[in-house]
Amino acid sequence: MNSKDKNIIPEGFLWGGAVTSFQSEGAYNEEGKGVSIVDNRSVKENFSDWKVAVDFYHKYKEDIALFKELGFNSYRTSIAWTRVFPNGEGEVNEEGLKFYDDLFDELIKNGIEPVITLYHFDMPLAIAEKYNGFASRKVVDLFEKYSKVVFERYKDKVKYWITFNEQNLVFPEPRLWGAKLLEGEDLEKFTYQLCHNVFVAHAKATKLLHEIIPDGKMGGMLAHTPSYPLTCEPEDILASQKIKEVFLDFYYDIFTQGEYPSYIKSVLDKKGIMPVFEADDDELLKENTVDYLAFSYYQSNTVRASEEDKSLLPGIVQNPNLKANEWGWAIDPIGLRIILKDLYARYKMPIFVVENGIGVREELDENNTVIDEYRIDYLRKHIEQMKLAMEEGVDVIGYLMWGSTDILSSQGEMKKRYGFIFVNRDEKDLRDLKRYKKASFHWFKKVIASNGENL
């Protein structure tokens, strides 16, 4: 079937945008909110903190009106754990819960389905310092308690959930999970134990969701960066395969099958660094698998084995066949199709693209807009590849671009703009925070109105 003859995208497909609470909300200390590890994070001298962000906390009705005009039928954000439990434990903060009640009600009133992430790198600082974050099973239990409160509160408002944003970033970034290596600890052993604890927290939350919201859908979500071998030398191919196993397949296998795959267990056993499993961990993982797979996709990597001795210690190198954006990220629309085909062939589960977009330095022109044809081109080519994958039989349930409005980056960088809507602030100068539609706003509105047919 050719998409020119019949649109491959089904009715009810989820079109929208995605952000995090800390990159968009601001109001960092209002209405009982506690301090998170993000609030405590140092930023580069010329970047911003997240105290105001783009003030979504106070402007969400204005922004949601713009999202409705765009045609969004879904919107992904995260709940700030510190709004619900300011210190990660203790008493629930009713004012924080009420904010998300009001936010979700406003989305639903405007025909927009909330897609909610429980944890997006913003652990309450108090439990990161007291327990060393998810390195402690105590924090796993606290996350379970937080999840239960949230599910019970919003069970009639939110159907689509994600436990952890980009869960595979446990490996390169333990700090995002409130954890740090203690003196005398082995790094690899520590990291695998941290990884295991987060898997257990994910399974506990998934179990609660299915008990409290029987028709609720839980997704397992990764930062998906496919790795291509630089050459057809077998060593390069094997090096790229090893990266895929450790940073992607390992997680997807546990999300879908609930057990450690043999290619990971064999390494852990050989090195003597198998994580400590508590009594019911095996059963917990096995019985609480996900309902759909989700990922962010921005770029692909290219890999070569060590030049010195082909030791299969892979290195990331520039792909000579792809252009990159200003931040060095390879622009690779076909990579999205490769991911979708590979995931569906392997797992045969619904797939949700929950982040995709391009960051560019932008300023308003004399007409108070941004003619961002490069963003239109980027998104068009990725959606085209998604549609081709769907024609080839892949079950894709939604596509969310990253940003919606411009937001601060995870490093506090406002100049790296992703949105359809320009937010008038700079790194340090808040200006007036007014919203302006970019050219891509009008383009994406037509895309959604045609359910992806008019690109």
Side-chain angles (χ1 to χ4, degrees):
M1 179 177 64
N2 192 302
S3 60
K4 291 180 181 178
D5 301 321
K6 180 182 178 183
N7 188 23
I8 191 66
I9 297 179
E11 291 300 315
F13 188 83
L14 296 170
W15 293 102
V19 298
T20 76
S21 56
F22 78 85
Q23 290 168 270
S24 62
E25 286 177 5
Y28 81 104
N29 63 351
E30 293 188 30
E31 297 183 322
K33 181 185 177 297
V35 179
S36 77
I37 58 175
V38 174
D39 298 322
N40 194 51
R41 187 193 303 168
S42 61
V43 297
K44 293 181 180 179
E45 183 179 348
N46 296 322
F47 292 177
S48 175
D49 57 33
W50 299 270
K51 290 181 178 180
V52 175
V54 295
D55 201 27
F56 182 74
Y57 192 86
H58 299 110
K59 295 178 178 290
Y60 69 86
K61 290 187 178 181
E62 174 188 343
D63 286 347
I64 289 170
L66 287 167
F67 302 157
K68 182 180 182 180
E69 183 183 344
L70 252 173
F72 280 10
N73 62 8
S74 59
Y75 183 71
R76 176 183 171 222
T77 187
S78 58
I79 293 174
W81 191 344
T82 48
R83 292 201 192 278
V84 180
F85 288 96
N87 295 310
E89 56 186 338
E91 296 300 312
V92 172
N93 177 35
E94 176 60 30
E95 288 180 300
L97 288 170
K98 185 180 184 303
F99 167 71
Y100 291 110
D101 266 322
D102 294 343
L103 171 59
F104 301 158
D105 287 345
E106 189 71 15
L107 287 167
I108 292 164
K109 185 174 78 175
N110 285 278
I112 300 171
E113 180 110 38
V115 178
I116 301 303
T117 308
L118 289 169
Y119 181 81
H120 201 128
F121 309 150
D122 58 349
M123 176 176 291
L125 180 63
I127 58 173
E129 292 183 338
K130 186 176 179 181
Y131 302 115
N132 200 17
F134 279 106
S136 165
R137 289 293 289 244
K138 174 66 176 176
V139 170
V140 172
D141 293 339
L142 292 173
F143 180 77
E144 181 182 21
K145 180 180 179 182
Y146 154 67
S147 301
K148 186 172 190 289
V149 167
V150 165
F151 292 150
E152 288 179 341
R153 181 73 171 226
Y154 308 121
K155 62 185 177 183
D156 297 323
K157 301 181 181 184
V158 181
K159 177 180 178 181
Y160 289 95
W161 297 86
I162 294 167
T163 45
F164 294 101
N165 182 70
E166 299 179 333
Q167 193 170 327
N168 53 337
L169 296 192
V170 169
F171 258 90
E173 296 281 3
R175 66 186 179 92
L176 300 177
W177 314 88
K180 58 184 179 182
L181 184 70
L182 302 179
E183 189 175 348
E185 282 190 291
D186 176 78
L187 176 60
E188 196 170 15
K189 183 178 177 64
F190 162 81
T191 307
Y192 273 106
Q193 186 66 57
L194 175 64
C195 187
H196 177 75
N197 291 356
V198 175
F199 274 129
V200 171
H202 161 82
K204 284 176 176 283
T206 303
K207 183 175 188 290
L208 282 172
L209 174 71
H210 291 147
E211 290 171 353
I212 297 169
I213 314 176
D215 65 340
K217 304 295 184 185
M218 182 62 84
M221 190 261 186
L222 302 184
H224 200 127
T225 305
S227 296
Y228 306 145
L230 179 64
T231 73
C232 56
E233 287 189 40
E235 292 88 350
D236 283 357
I237 295 169
L238 193 56
S240 67
Q241 184 180 49
K242 282 179 175 288
I243 285 183
K244 182 174 182 289
E245 286 178 348
V246 172
F247 289 102
L248 295 169
D249 296 347
F250 173 33
Y251 295 84
Y252 286 128
D253 282 357
I254 293 182
F255 288 156
T256 60
Q257 298 162 32
E259 59 186 17
Y260 277 56
S262 59
Y263 54 83
I264 292 292
K265 286 201 312 189
S266 63
V267 172
L268 298 178
D269 286 337
K270 184 177 180 180
K271 293 184 175 181
I273 56 172
M274 180 64 73
V276 174
F277 278 57
E278 292 194 359
D280 59 350
D281 284 1
D282 279 317
E283 183 179 358
L284 185 72
L285 294 175
K286 189 70 176 174
E287 294 183 355
N288 297 286
T289 53
V290 299
D291 302 296
Y292 65 95
L293 296 175
F295 60 82
S296 62
Y297 176 65
Y298 297 97
Q299 62 175 324
S300 58
N301 282 334
T302 303
V303 178
R304 67 179 174 191
S306 167
E307 284 295 316
E308 296 174 2
D309 58 1
K310 300 294 183 185
S311 64
L312 303 180
L313 296 174
I316 304 299
V317 297
Q318 187 173 359
N319 189 324
N321 300 302
L322 295 175
K323 293 180 180 178
N325 71 3
E326 183 180 344
W327 284 266
W329 295 13
I331 298 172
D332 181 13
I334 293 175
L336 177 58
R337 183 177 172 193
I338 291 169
I339 291 170
L340 291 170
K341 286 169 61 67
D342 179 64
L343 278 182
Y344 197 68
R346 187 172 177 121
Y347 302 109
K348 296 180 175 59
M349 293 193 72
I351 302 172
F352 198 167
V353 183
V354 295
E355 292 182 31
N356 179 232
I358 185 168
V360 181
R361 295 177 189 269
E362 297 168 324
E363 283 294 347
L364 291 173
D365 64 17
E366 65 275 9
N367 297 313
N368 282 332
T369 189
V370 178
I371 307 302
D372 54 342
E373 291 294 335
Y374 42 82
R375 179 169 293 108
I376 293 170
D377 183 64
Y378 177 98
L379 296 174
R380 177 191 291 119
K381 287 177 178 176
H382 282 77
I383 294 169
E384 285 173 347
Q385 292 298 321
M386 176 184 74
K387 289 177 66 175
L388 287 170
M390 294 172 77
E391 286 183 11
E392 294 169 313
V394 179
D395 180 10
V396 184
I397 62 174
Y399 173 89
L400 307 181
M401 58 78 63
W402 177 249
S404 310
T405 65
D406 292 336
I407 58 176
L408 286 167
S409 79
S410 57
Q411 306 303 315
E413 192 172 6
M414 191 66 205
K415 285 188 171 65
K416 191 177 186 181
R417 296 177 181 270
Y418 281 88
F420 296 132
I421 300 160
F422 184 93
V423 176
N424 191 32
R425 68 156 290 181
D426 203 346
E427 308 293 358
K428 303 287 187 179
D429 183 359
L430 294 177
R431 299 177 183 169
D432 58 14
L433 291 167
K434 284 186 178 179
R435 274 59 167 158
Y436 298 90
K437 301 170 193 174
K438 302 178 189 178
S440 58
F441 180 101
H442 306 287
W443 171 79
F444 202 57
K445 181 178 180 179
K446 292 177 183 177
V447 172
I448 298 175
S450 66
N451 200 25
E453 195 162 7
N454 182 4
L455 296 177

